[in-house]
Structures are given as C-alpha cells and as structure tokens.
Amino acid sequence: MFTRIVLAVDDSDARRHAVSTVAELARRFGATVHVLHLAPSVVVEYSVVALEDDDAARRVLDESVRALREAGVEADGELVDGMRGQVPTVIADAAERLGAELIVLSPHHRGAVASWFRPRVSDAVGHASRVPVLLVPDAG
C-alpha cells in the first residue's frame, strides 16, 4: 500500500512519536522514508531572520533519520531553508517530486484565534497535497 513515505519533522518533541509511528508503518509495508525538515525563516522589517540555526536544524534531521535506520527502515533526509509560510508547499511538493503515497507530520494544537492569524501547517498541507496526510499527535 505504501512504498514511499515523506515524514515532515520540526524541532518539537512531538517528532519522536511521529518517527516511531512511521517506523512501524514502514516496516509493515516495506516502505522507504524520506525525512524532510524545513529550517524556517521570517521577514522582520527589511531582514530575513532564521528561526532555527543550521546546526540545530541538521541535528533534528539527522536524529530522525538515524532513529528510522536503527529501527530497520531505509531512510534518507533533506534539509530545506525557507520562509515559514512556505512550509506546507515545500512538504506537498516534496511528496509529489518523490512519488510518495503518504505524508506524515505532527500537528501543533493551537486555539481557534491563533489559527485564524496563522493557519495550522497540517491543515495547509492537507489542502496543498494530492497525497494522503497522516497526523501523529504527541504521545504525551
């Protein structure tokens, strides 16, 4: 059913539960996993400001790929720099480019008012993608 899965991770602790869930799915279906981490930036006045430094972004990606490989899953990773508002498009485009049959990510729960001003990435990925999206909440 699934041969190629895109796992989009961020720097939150919720990614660990998503990684373990994807490891189980990938083993069950014999799928390979492409881990994607976008190191986001925002525009502040006339400057682009990184929200995560390069070393921290690389650690998030490498930790996720390593955990999948240690679980016996064929996995690779990709680190992308981009604007925070581009995250959903980057994820959806990667899934299409890679021929993925499933996108997995961890939703961040915010109230309705906060979501009004900044839509949830998980909602936006679902609308931007032609690939099914699985949301894995934090295990805590």
Side-chain angles (χ1 to χ4, degrees):
M1 176 171 218
F2 302 117
T3 59
R4 187 77 172 154
I5 299 170
V6 168
L7 170 61
V9 296
D10 62 13
D11 63 351
S12 73
D13 288 337
R15 77 179 177 279
R16 291 179 179 88
H17 189 229
V19 168
S20 66
T21 300
V22 166
E24 180 64 30
L25 280 171
R27 281 194 308 266
R28 185 167 294 179
F29 291 106
T32 60
V33 178
H34 182 79
V35 181
L36 179 67
H37 179 57
L38 188 137
S41 298
V42 293
V43 174
V44 177
E45 293 190 15
Y46 300 104
S47 301
V48 175
V49 177
L51 298 177
E52 182 179 28
D53 70 52
D54 291 341
D55 291 338
R58 177 58 59 188
R59 276 192 302 276
V60 167
L61 179 65
D62 291 347
E63 175 189 288
S64 300
V65 171
R66 185 174 42 256
L68 287 164
R69 288 177 178 167
E70 288 172 358
V73 174
E74 184 180 331
D76 62 8
E78 178 180 3
L79 181 60
V80 179
D81 291 313
M83 302 306 291
R84 182 168 52 191
Q86 294 176 310
V87 172
T89 304
V90 168
I91 295 169
D93 289 352
E96 187 171 327
R97 171 176 46 89
L98 295 164
E101 295 102 356
L102 181 67
I103 298 170
V104 179
L105 49 92
S106 295
H108 294 278
H109 302 287
R110 293 193 306 265
V113 173
S115 295
W116 179 263
F117 292 104
R118 196 175 68 164
R120 291 178 183 98
V121 169
S122 55
D123 291 344
V125 170
H127 290 289
S129 177
R130 294 187 178 107
V131 175
V133 177
L134 174 64
L135 304 180
V136 180
D138 191 2

